[in-house]
Amino acid sequence: MKNTNSHSEKRQLIRREIREKRNNLSMEVQKTASERLIISFLQHVPLPQNARVGCYLSNDGELNTSLLIQELWSKNHAIYLPIIHPFNSTNLLFQKYEKTSPMKANRYGILEPKLNCSEVCPVSQLDILLLPLVAFDSMGNRMGMGGGYYDRTLSSYYRDKWPVPKLIGLAHDCQKVERLPTEAWDVPLQAILTPTTFYHW
């Protein structure tokens, strides 16, 4: 029987240490990483024409997605961003994001599109979903910020094994750890993309 307290404490320690590493990256390193991400993405992630891509807007030192989003727009792919579900505030919806989309800050100060039900895409209809993360390991385990939004939203994906979307984490190279302590509800990823490496399982 695992010691729940030490298990939880270890997760918190990893989360704190990696967030600090991530936030200490210089603006120049972040800029270079976001440019290299595009090259790495185009090399390793094949997309159908007019793909539906779930993505995120960077926050808290996360790998910047703004250049990648612009690149995907230029290739006529549609981008969908997470918004906190208006009726189930522990889950996410994914809504189409365009240059002209009205935006608002959510409870965490992160920009998200203003709710427009006609622009919402069911998770199962996304071709790929690019997820933010705090830390990852070589087994495909992902540690987020601790809110559990993605894990709850994707729980049926994990249970039913939908063929799409493919779940790909985006991270700086410094966010990799040897082994993450996991929880039963953690949804593992199929791939993780960094500016230099493509991990897949």
Side-chain angles (χ1 to χ4, degrees):
M1 185 175 181
K2 71 184 176 186
N3 185 319
T4 304
N5 287 335
S6 63
H7 183 79
S8 177
E9 287 168 4
K10 187 174 182 182
R11 285 173 66 92
Q12 290 299 334
L13 179 62
I14 292 171
R15 185 175 283 117
R16 187 163 58 246
E17 287 179 348
I18 301 300
R19 283 184 68 195
E20 185 176 350
K21 273 187 184 181
R22 192 172 67 180
N23 280 304
N24 283 337
L25 295 173
S26 68
M27 289 181 64
E28 186 59 35
V29 168
Q30 280 278 16
K31 180 176 180 293
T32 301
S34 66
E35 292 167 350
R36 287 180 177 169
L37 175 65
I38 297 174
I39 299 169
S40 189
F41 183 93
L42 295 177
Q43 182 178 354
H44 295 292
V45 184
L47 289 176
Q49 284 190 333
N50 308 118
R52 293 179 171 184
V53 180
C55 197
Y56 65 91
L57 296 183
S58 310
N59 179 59
D60 192 59
E62 292 166 346
L63 184 53
N64 196 314
T65 57
S66 59
L67 293 180
L68 178 59
I69 287 172
Q70 290 174 39
E71 178 70 18
L72 292 173
W73 274 336
S74 75
K75 296 183 181 303
N76 297 315
H77 299 305
I79 301 297
Y80 291 82
L81 294 183
I83 63 175
I84 296 175
H85 199 297
F87 311 120
N88 183 359
S89 61
T90 61
N91 283 52
L92 299 172
L93 293 174
F94 288 86
Q95 183 170 311
K96 194 169 187 180
Y97 172 54
E98 299 175 298
K99 293 176 184 177
T100 55
S101 294
M103 305 292 283
K104 68 177 183 66
N106 65 21
R107 69 181 69 165
Y108 301 105
I110 301 170
L111 286 178
E112 60 180 38
K114 289 185 177 179
L115 180 64
N116 178 347
C117 294
S118 67
E119 296 290 319
V120 170
C121 179
V123 176
S124 60
Q125 291 180 23
L126 295 172
D127 292 292
I128 65 167
L129 177 55
L130 304 175
L131 292 83
L133 56 89
V134 173
F136 70 96
D137 65 19
S138 58
M139 305 290 290
N141 295 308
R142 167 191 178 271
M143 176 183 284
M145 290 289 282
Y149 287 93
Y150 281 94
D151 289 318
R152 283 188 294 269
T153 302
L154 297 170
S155 60
S156 57
Y157 169 91
Y158 184 55
R159 185 181 65 243
D160 300 334
K161 302 293 185 187
W162 299 338
V164 289
K166 184 171 185 177
L167 304 180
I168 303 177
L170 300 183
H172 293 284
D173 294 286
C174 68
Q175 292 174 242
K176 186 175 185 288
V177 300
E178 185 174 343
R179 187 67 183 266
L180 278 176
T182 59
E183 299 287 6
W185 55 80
D186 289 340
V187 175
L189 303 177
Q190 291 143 296
I192 292 170
L193 189 66
T194 77
T196 67
T197 308
F198 182 60
Y199 305 89
H200 58 98
W201 298 274

